[in-house]
Amino acid sequence: MQLLIKGADVFAPEALGRKDILISNGKILAIEENINESGLIGPVEVIDGQGKLAIPGLVDTHQHFIGGGGEGGYRTRTPELTLTQQTLNGVTTALGLLGTDSLSRHVESLYAKTKGFNEEGITAVMITGAYHLPSPTITGSVQRDIAFIDPVIGVKLAVADHRGPFVTRDELGHLVSEVRVASLIANKKGIITVHTGAGKACLDQVFDILEVSDYQPERFVPTHINRPDTWESAVRLAKMGAYIDGTGILHDDGGAGKITCADATRMSIEEGIESRFTFSSDAGGSMPKWNENRTRIIGMGVGTPDSLLIEVRRGVEKGLTLSQMLAPVTINAAHQIGLEDRKGQLLPGFDGDVVLLDQDSLQLTDTIAKGQWMVASGEAIVKGTFE
C-alpha cells in the first residue's frame, strides 16, 4: 500500500513549505509540491495534511524497553514499554538499554524486546552492558556483542554515581578499545552511553582517558547532562566532537534543579554545539526522588516518551523555531546512533517515518513508521501484540 500525504507543511527538519509526501514499500519516494494520486500505479491511501505539519519520526536514543528501576525494592521495578507508548508520542526509532538493575534485568531480555519492537513495526536498536564493569553481555564479550549481534551498537556505563562502579583508567581504556574495534569490524557507530551521575568526578574520567590516549571523543555519549553541575563539562566534551544527551523534563521549571531540554537546546545554539546536542526521554526508567543525603528513595516516577514532544512545544513557546527544536530528536539523534543514512530526515530514499502535528497546537495527530500508518487522528490503529 502506498501512502500519500497531501498538503502538509513539511519540516524535514528544516522548513520546506507546503508539500506532498509519497511513501511506498516503507520508504519515502518523493516530496513534491503536488503529487497527483491518479497518476500512481497501484492502490494509494491519501492522508489529508491540510492544517498539519509533517516532521520526521522522532529518534529516542535512551529508553528502558524492558523497564528499569528497582532502587526502592522489587515493587519499584518499572514495567516494559509498549508499541503504542512509542507511536502515540511520535517515536518511530528508539535505542534500548539497561540501567541500575542488571540483576533482575538481563541483556538477553533487552535483545528479545528490541527484536519484538522491530517485528511490531518501529525501528529499535540497543546497547549491551549496564552501569557496572565488567559489563553484562550476551556473548561474554562487549566486543563480540557489538560485532556479531545486529541490533547492538554500543555499551552502557555509569560514572560519578553512588550506584555505579569506580572506573579505573585501565578499565575505561580497555572498554573504549573493545567498542572501537568492534565498531570498525561491524561498520557500526560504536558508542559508550555514559550515565552521568551527580557525583564529585562528573566527566573527569572521560577527559582523563582522552588526554592520555588516542581515543576519539565521539565514542562517548554522556547522558542526563541537562543539569547545572554537568552542563559545562558536557559542552566541553561536545566541542571536542562528542554527542551529548539531555533528558526530557515534564515540568516547566525543570524540576529538582534540572535544565529543561528546551532551554538546553537554546544554550547549545549559543555555545555553537547545536549539531552535537540531543535529548531523549529515559522512557521506562525510574525517576527516583532521594532524601537529602541520597541514601534512601522517598518517591518514584517513571520516564515516558511524551517528554520529547513536550520539550519541542516548550521550546517553540519560548521563541525557538520548530526546526531548531526538532533537530536534537531527529537528525542529531540519528547521527548519534549511526542511522543518519535513513533516519531523522524527510528525504527521498529515507525510511517512511513521518509524524503529523496539528499546526496550531503541535499535538500529534498521525504517526507513520516504516511506511505503516500506526496512529490516525490521534488514535492508535496498530497496537502491540498484547495491547
Side-chain angles (χ1 to χ4, degrees), residues 197-217:
K200 301 172 183 176
C202 194
L203 292 171
D204 289 351
Q205 290 169 296
V206 174
F207 290 118
D208 179 53
I209 198 71
L210 292 175
E211 288 171 1
V212 299
S213 72
D214 297 316
Y215 300 130
Q216 305 101 329

Side-chain angles (χ1 to χ4, degrees), residues 41-187:
I41 299 174
V44 181
E45 189 154 13
V46 177
I47 301 174
D48 184 7
Q50 295 290 327
K52 298 177 182 179
L53 311 178
I55 67 171
L58 304 184
V59 181
D60 194 343
T61 60
H62 192 116
Q63 290 194 355
H64 296 267
F65 291 169
I66 59 173
E71 300 104 317
Y74 294 120
R75 64 185 176 85
T76 65
R77 295 170 78 253
T78 65
E80 289 193 0
L81 298 177
T82 64
L83 177 67
T84 58
Q85 282 179 299
Q86 310 281 17
T87 56
L88 286 169
N89 291 296
V91 176
T92 57
T93 302
L95 179 145
L97 38 66
L98 294 183
T100 310
D101 181 9
S102 56
L103 296 172
S104 70
R105 311 281 187 179
H106 310 101
V107 187
E108 293 87 347
S109 299
L110 176 61
Y111 169 80
K113 184 68 174 183
T114 302
K115 296 289 283 187
F117 269 145
N118 281 287
E119 291 174 2
E120 289 180 331
I122 64 171
T123 300
V125 294
M126 62 174 281
I127 55 176
T128 193
Y131 271 30
H132 293 89
L133 290 175
S135 301
T137 64
I138 297 173
T139 65
S141 159
V142 168
Q143 200 168 49
R144 288 179 176 275
D145 277 11
I146 297 171
F148 299 127
I149 302 177
D150 282 343
V152 180
I153 65 164
V155 68
K156 173 78 173 280
L157 179 66
V159 300
D161 196 294
H162 60 94
R163 298 164 294 180
F166 181 82
V167 184
T168 67
R169 179 188 290 178
D170 287 348
E171 289 172 329
L172 184 56
H174 181 70
L175 184 66
V176 180
S177 175
E178 281 197 289
V179 172
R180 179 54 174 158
V181 171
S183 71
L184 291 171
I185 291 171
N187 192 28

Side-chain angles (χ1 to χ4, degrees), residues 311-338:
E311 290 279 18
V312 168
R313 289 191 288 268
R314 181 180 291 137
V316 171
E317 290 170 358
K318 291 188 172 189
L320 294 176
T321 68
L322 181 59
S323 294
Q324 288 173 322
M325 284 308 306
L326 287 175
V329 289
T330 57
I331 186 171
N332 295 357
H335 275 276
Q336 184 202 113
I337 61 176

Side-chain angles (χ1 to χ4, degrees), residues 362-381:
L362 298 186
Q363 295 291 331
L364 184 144
T365 64
D366 300 81
T367 299
I368 299 163
K370 293 190 287 192
Q372 184 176 12
W373 201 356
M374 311 288 274
V375 175
S377 300
E379 298 291 332
I381 57 176

